[in-house]
Amino acid sequence: MRGSAALLAALLALGGCKAGDQGGDESGGSGGGGGGTTASGSALSAVSSLTVKGRAPKTGYERSAFGSSWVDTDDNGCGTRDDILKRDLEDVRFRDGHCLVASGTLTDDPYTGREVRFVRGRSKVDIDHVVALSDAWQKGAQKWDRDKRVAFANDPLNLIAVDSSANRRKGDGDAATWLPPNKAYRCDYVAHQVAVKKAYGLWVTSAEKDAMKRVLGGCPTMKLPARSG
């Protein structure tokens, strides 16, 4: 969908996330920050800016409301799924050209910490929406127009290659109902959820906000992640 990349960039700019910002905490680590004050632009401080409401009904939700799966929103000739596989896997091999990823290795799965092999057609790797589409639908996305939903569903900020079994256990859970079994990744995971919800104006439940603060309280200097290009 031509023009979606520009729309996506504009949405992130409105949410205070700018391309080129770096994730992680100030010391370069991904979690377990020590004491000290909350840094300006940190994920923890951004939690306070999120609107708190109750979860709306799931009525009317279907995957197609967010467009066809894995469209080419950045006009690079490749679908979003393959873009994320190329970004997150090691030792990538292509079926042809530079788009269709045939195989690769997820050397350190964010959700489990294990190594997971990707082979097209019998993959144990999923591309997960960090903020699930159904969760987004119940927290504001049902009011969006189709272009914004398509941009959201294909935003690299909200996408990550992960172990398929862990992803399916997550379902459409938010931070209050599901966190990665790999505790070392929880700060990154929640920080990305905060960044996505802030960028798109999605709200959080009271329990979800409390869970976000609890996790990020252990890594208070972690910066709010942003798209890298």
Side-chain angles (χ1 to χ4, degrees):
M1 178 178 295
R2 191 165 297 277
S4 290
L7 171 63
L8 200 158
L11 290 168
L12 290 172
L14 286 172
C17 298
K18 298 179 181 179
D21 289 352
Q22 298 299 311
D25 64 28
E26 292 177 344
S27 63
S30 62
T37 58
T38 301
S40 176
S42 73
L44 180 58
S45 65
V47 176
S48 297
S49 70
L50 300 177
T51 300
V52 176
K53 292 185 182 181
R55 182 186 291 270
K58 195 175 177 179
T59 306
Y61 169 74
E62 53 187 31
R63 174 61 178 85
S64 60
F66 291 82
S68 301
S69 298
W70 314 130
V71 296
D72 178 16
T73 56
D74 59 3
D75 302 320
N76 70 347
C78 305
T80 304
R81 179 173 184 262
D82 285 295
D83 284 340
I84 302 303
L85 289 171
K86 287 187 288 183
R87 184 194 72 185
D88 291 355
L89 300 182
E90 301 290 340
D91 301 322
V92 172
R93 295 190 178 185
F94 297 95
R95 178 173 293 178
D96 52 47
H98 67 285
C99 276
L100 293 178
V101 175
S103 64
T105 303
L106 189 59
T107 58
D108 185 13
D109 169 46
Y111 287 178
T112 66
R114 298 194 296 262
E115 181 176 292
V116 186
R117 181 70 176 162
F118 171 84
V119 178
R120 199 175 197 95
R122 54 182 188 276
S123 174
K124 295 182 179 179
V125 175
D126 282 351
I127 306 302
D128 182 37
H129 291 92
V130 179
V131 174
L133 301 185
S134 173
D135 182 65
W137 180 265
Q138 296 172 81
K139 296 171 182 175
Q142 60 184 281
K143 302 294 186 182
W144 297 349
D145 61 32
R146 184 176 179 82
D147 282 348
K148 186 172 180 180
R149 289 191 200 123
V150 170
F152 178 84
N154 291 275
D155 187 343
L157 180 65
N158 192 35
L159 295 170
I160 189 169
V162 298
D163 174 77
S164 59
S165 59
N167 181 41
R168 290 160 199 181
R169 286 193 294 271
K170 169 190 170 181
D172 62 358
D174 59 25
T177 59
W178 189 88
L179 291 170
N182 179 16
K183 293 181 179 180
Y185 187 70
R186 288 181 178 179
C187 282
D188 291 280
Y189 176 76
V190 173
H192 273 83
Q193 288 195 329
V194 174
V196 170
K197 294 208 166 187
K198 180 177 174 65
Y200 284 90
L202 294 167
W203 68 74
V204 294
T205 65
S206 178
E208 181 182 4
K209 187 172 186 177
D210 289 345
M212 288 174 163
K213 286 184 173 181
R214 183 168 59 252
V215 171
L216 293 173
C219 43
T221 59
M222 174 167 282
K223 293 181 181 178
L224 195 68
R227 291 179 69 243
S228 58

